[in-house]
Amino acid sequence: MWRHFRQHPVIHQLGLSQILAYGALFYAFASIKTPLAQYAGTSEQAIINGLSVAFLLKAISAPWVGKAVDHFGAIRVLSLGLFMGGFGFAALAWIPDIRWIWLCLILIATGYAMATYEVAFGAAVQYDETQSRLNISVITFYGGVASSCTWLFLGFLIPALGIVGATMLTGGLLMAMDGHGNQVVLVEGIGHFAFRLGDAGRLKTVLDKVLQQPRPGRGQHLAEGDVPRGPHLRIH
């Protein structure tokens, strides 16, 4: 695993994005629905109803998301999804009104459609088709721990910061992963991630950099010792 981490840091960045995306945009509602309902003076059922409708719209949008992946590239779609979902999550408790929460839930569900497994897997294929099955397995491994990480994280944050602070910090992490404004940067090393805040501006997509690099096509084999390498997500 560590060898793969050093050779393909972009894939592990995608995996980390799935912990945050699935955690904040899906699993988190098991933890936040009660304090959010109390904060807004509404019922948990009203929040769940709004979430159900938002996820229905998410399912309907799937064909358009797929077309966007083909046309613009999976990394760009995933990046926009992380930003939209993160903004919606951060804004959940800005206004204690159920209508505002419903509006945020639509943003969250749209981000969920654009930033989770289907698009991340598409990014893995576009990044390196010859290694895509292995890379998809790695991304799936990260996504598999999303629920546990989220419930532990929010179980600590909500009592410490309240529902407003917890949603803003979690949503901010998602927007940071997107690369707009503050960036989360994957730094080369053995077995650990390091983060730093960058200057405002848009992250040049990983896919654009990858497509500029020569790589073997379908059915071709690498020479012994050669390893397809993607760029590090390093912001200057």
Side-chain angles (χ1 to χ4, degrees):
M1 180 64 116
W2 305 135
R3 180 181 178 184
H4 189 273
F5 172 83
R6 297 180 68 184
Q7 293 172 346
H8 303 281
V10 172
I11 297 303
H12 294 265
Q13 180 82 358
L14 286 170
L16 181 60
S17 79
Q18 294 310 288
I19 294 178
L20 290 172
Y22 268 104
L25 306 180
F26 184 74
Y27 292 118
F29 289 96
S31 298
I32 71 170
K33 67 179 187 299
T34 299
L36 185 61
Q38 293 171 350
Y39 174 77
T42 188
S43 66
E44 293 182 26
Q45 190 60 50
I47 293 175
I48 296 302
N49 289 344
L51 190 63
S52 298
V53 172
F55 278 180
L56 176 61
L57 295 176
K58 172 255 181 189
I60 294 172
S61 71
W64 286 273
V65 173
K67 290 179 181 179
V69 168
D70 287 338
H71 186 73
F72 299 107
I75 289 290
R76 284 179 175 163
V77 174
L78 188 142
S79 179
L80 180 59
L82 289 171
F83 181 80
M84 291 178 64
F87 183 83
F89 198 90
L92 271 173
W94 286 0
I95 301 175
D97 184 279
I98 187 60
R99 289 165 294 185
W100 174 258
I101 293 174
W102 286 342
L103 179 62
C104 292
L105 290 177
I106 292 174
L107 278 177
I108 288 170
T110 303
Y112 181 76
M114 299 169 66
T116 46
Y117 273 157
E118 293 84 357
V119 179
F121 293 164
V125 173
Q126 292 175 351
Y127 169 76
D128 187 351
E129 187 175 353
T130 62
Q131 296 283 332
S132 60
R133 295 179 69 177
L134 173 60
N135 292 338
I136 286 172
S137 297
V138 171
I139 294 170
T140 305
F141 166 78
Y142 280 97
V145 301
S147 59
S148 299
C149 292
T150 301
W151 294 330
L152 289 171
F153 183 64
L154 290 174
F156 168 77
L157 278 188
I158 293 173
L161 302 179
I163 187 63
V164 177
T167 52
M168 288 189 65
L169 178 58
T170 306
L173 287 174
L174 270 175
M175 288 189 285
M177 278 296 299
D178 161 61
H180 296 75
N182 294 330
Q183 297 99 16
V184 175
V185 184
L186 181 60
V187 180
E188 184 177 14
I190 302 178
H192 70 278
F193 292 101
F195 301 88
R196 78 179 183 198
L197 296 178
D199 296 327
R202 288 185 174 273
L203 175 65
K204 290 187 68 176
T205 65
V206 175
L207 183 58
D208 287 342
K209 297 178 181 178
V210 171
L211 291 178
Q212 295 172 7
Q213 300 181 6
R215 59 178 181 149
R218 181 180 298 179
Q220 295 180 325
H221 299 283
L222 296 170
E224 184 177 356
D226 287 343
V227 179
R229 296 177 182 269
H232 297 285
L233 298 182
R234 195 180 300 279
I235 309 302
H236 299 287

